[in-house]
């Protein structure tokens, strides 16, 4: 159905108003519902479908997000931005083949430059480096001056060990005067080149300038992310104060829920080794891996705290009824089913998500039988790894733009776990695993964690990189898990101690 110009303008303004309110209050569920109602009237507007897709993903309504992505592609099949948004959503939902098909369709249009870059990115992320280089070469041959093509070619060349070629692609894209978002991408990659060349001073200079460019490129997004981050840190401060051993032990002593399979949470600060351990565990045929989806958090918030966009309070959980707690568990399984993740009779659900680390106390109320695996690593190596990671700013990573903020985020998140650990005491439902131990003897320590989940070690786990070679890795650390396990990153912070003192001085 075609829309009249007047209705088109009216609906477009409504779309903008919804997203403007969301930027102010960060209440994704309310924004998603408003956008869903608008989409029922204005299904022909690509912007409405794109925003509905984004908002539905934010609240883990995966079916709605996937449907919006399909409609967006139908409305704008030859628009690179639309294909990019839909392909990214398919990838997030664990459908890399569908993402690839979206780019392949675009390749047949005049917008094939964007398609080649999208296909190169997919192949690079999956570790198919020769294929990635082929797609990248097509894009570069078609337009040698295109900055995105040069950055992608530089990234692939770096990963393949062709450092001089990588630098030749990246350096022109990092020059002053280049748009800040493009310049930031090039500078982050150049920082990695300097790191490989054992030049920490130049690496830090590149990363610092990249972060400055990120703030220039996304000022409103950074402002919103910092506002949400400040609330999260304040909430964590209250949480550490309010947590008591009596409450946690009382919740844990409740009869185990019979309406859900066993669930293991794999958490810890980002860049602590969660993705490496996840890949080994996920190779077990009885482990159902939920890779960095917020389904459990959304089920908790939208069922028990729908009117608290700022976040729940731990004291409010005391009066939750048994039926409402059962509703959280039911809603969690509903959200997993949208992803095709249906546990079998012998399945153990592995829900790996570093973002759950400071949410764990809340999850123990509706999920009293949760088993907790927390990855630990020298915080100085963690912070260095976060600092050099190129990510679009959001509340969970905006702290990495500033050294002092990165330290504050680490302390805030891990103080919640350490207080919860004290409250749990010597019960057997939690364990910590050190990244350094995994690097030195992966199979032994991964086998210990496997037994902790209630399963026995499976031969497929010994060849986890072959077993999971086609598995999509949602984490930004996807590059690291495609390479052999090594000890080279242990203690790496020491090379940067003189260049990033504010990042390390808090820790001994």
């Amino acid at each position: 159905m075609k829309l009249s110009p007047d209705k088109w303008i009216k609906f477009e303004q409504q779309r903008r108003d919804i997203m403007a309110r969301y930027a102010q209050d960060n209440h994704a569920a309310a924004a998603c519902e408003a956008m869903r109602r608008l989409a029922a009237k204005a299904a022909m507007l690509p912007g409405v479908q794109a925003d509905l897709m984004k908002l539905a993903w934010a609240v883990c309504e995966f079916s709605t997000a996937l449907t919006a992505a399909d409609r967006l592609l139908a409305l704008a099949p030859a628009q690179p931005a639309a294909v990019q948004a839909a392909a990214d959503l398919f990838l997030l939902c664990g459908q890399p083949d569908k993402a690839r098909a979206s780019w392949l369709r675009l390749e047949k249009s005049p917008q094939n430059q964007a398609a080649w870059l999208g296909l190169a990115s997919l192949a690079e992320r999956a570790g198919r480096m020769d294929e990635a280089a082929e797609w990248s070469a097509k894009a570069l041959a078609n337009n040698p001056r295109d900055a995105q093509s040069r950055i992608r070619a530089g990234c692939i060349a770096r990963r393949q060990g062709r450092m001089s070629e990588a630098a030749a692609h990246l350096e022109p894209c990092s020059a002053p005067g280049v748009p800040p978002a493009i310049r930031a991408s090039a500078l982050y990659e150049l920082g990695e080149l300097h790191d490989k060349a054992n030049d920490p001073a130049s690496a830090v200079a590149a990363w610092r300038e990249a972060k400055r460019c990120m703030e220039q490129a996304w000022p409103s997004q950074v402002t919103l992310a910092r506002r949400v981050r400040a609330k999260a840190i304040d909430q964590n401060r209250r949480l550490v104060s309010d947590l008591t051993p009596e409450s946690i032990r009382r919740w844990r002593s409740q009869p185990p829920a019979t309406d859900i399979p066993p669930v293991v949470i794999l958490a810890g600060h980002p860049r602590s080794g969660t993705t490496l351990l996840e890949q080994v565990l996920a190779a077990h045929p009885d482990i159902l891996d939920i890779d960095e989806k917020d389904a459990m958090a959304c089920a908790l918030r939208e069922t028990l705290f729908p009117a608290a966009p700022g976040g729940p309070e731990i004291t409010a959980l005391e009066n939750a009824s048994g039926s409402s707690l059962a509703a959280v568990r039911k809603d969690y399984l509903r959200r997993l089913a949208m992803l095709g993740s249906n546990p079998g009779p012998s399945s153990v659900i592995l829900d790996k998500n570093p973002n759950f680390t400071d949410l764990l106390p809340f999850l123990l109320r509706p999920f009293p039988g949760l088993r907790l695996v927390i990855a630990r690593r020298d915080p100085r190596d963690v912070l260095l790894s976060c600092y050099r990671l190129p990510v679009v700013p959001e509340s969970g990573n905006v702290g990495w733009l500033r050294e002092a903020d990165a330290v504050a985020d680490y302390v805030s998140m891990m103080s919640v776990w350490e207080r919860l650990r004290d409250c749990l005491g010597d019960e057997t439902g939690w364990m910590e695993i050190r990244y350094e131990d995994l690097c030195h003897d992966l199979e032994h320590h991964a086998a210990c964690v496997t037994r902790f989940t209630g399963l026995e070690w499976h031969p497929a786990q010994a060849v986890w990189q072959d077993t999971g070679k086609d598995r999509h890795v949602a984490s930004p650390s996807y590059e690291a898990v495609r390479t052999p396990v090594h000890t080279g990153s242990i203690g790496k912070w020491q090379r940067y101690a003189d260049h990033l003192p504010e990042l390390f001085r808090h820790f001994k």
Side-chain angles (χ1 to χ4, degrees), residues 40 55 105 163 172 263 268 371:
L55 293 166
R105 282 196 298 271
M163 302 306 180
V263 181
R371 288 181 171 268

Side-chain angles (χ1 to χ4, degrees), residues 266-281 352 354 373-378 382 385 433-436 438-439 442 475 477 481:
L266 174 54
H269 195 280
R271 313 299 286 182
S272 292
T274 53
T275 303
L276 171 60
L277 181 57
E278 174 201 22
Q279 296 305 302
V280 183
L281 296 175
K352 173 257 184 175
V373 179
I374 308 299
R376 301 302 299 261
R377 183 184 181 188
D378 186 321
V382 169
S385 187
I433 184 75
R434 293 202 62 82
Y435 170 79
E436 293 83 356
L438 291 172
C439 290
L442 179 62
S475 168
S477 57
V481 300

Side-chain angles (χ1 to χ4, degrees), residues 29 54 63 75 97 205 219 222 226 249 262 271 276 341 349 362 449 451 508:
K54 172 185 175 181
S63 293
L75 292 170
D97 290 344
V222 169
R226 286 193 171 129
R249 289 169 187 169
R271 313 299 286 182
L276 171 60
S341 300
I349 297 174
F362 297 97
V449 179
R451 288 191 292 273
K508 296 182 179 178

Side-chain angles (χ1 to χ4, degrees), residues 220-232:
S220 58
Q221 196 162 333
V222 169
T223 299
L224 173 62
R226 286 193 171 129
R227 190 165 70 242
V228 176
R229 169 188 173 271
K231 291 181 180 178

Side-chain angles (χ1 to χ4, degrees), residues 15 122 137 201 208 252 303 317 361 369 398 401 439 469 478 496:
R15 179 191 71 81
L122 282 178
R208 279 190 172 140
R252 293 287 266 177
T303 304
L317 286 174
V398 72
L401 292 177
C439 290
K469 67 181 186 299
Y478 68 90
Y496 288 86

Side-chain angles (χ1 to χ4, degrees), residues 1-2 6 66 94 100 144 193 251 253 274 353 431 437 456 490 508:
M1 181 181 70
K2 290 186 177 181
D6 287 346
L66 288 166
R100 190 171 190 273
L193 286 182
W251 297 350
S253 67
T274 53
N353 196 331
M431 72 178 296
D437 291 338
E456 293 299 321
I490 297 175
K508 296 182 179 178

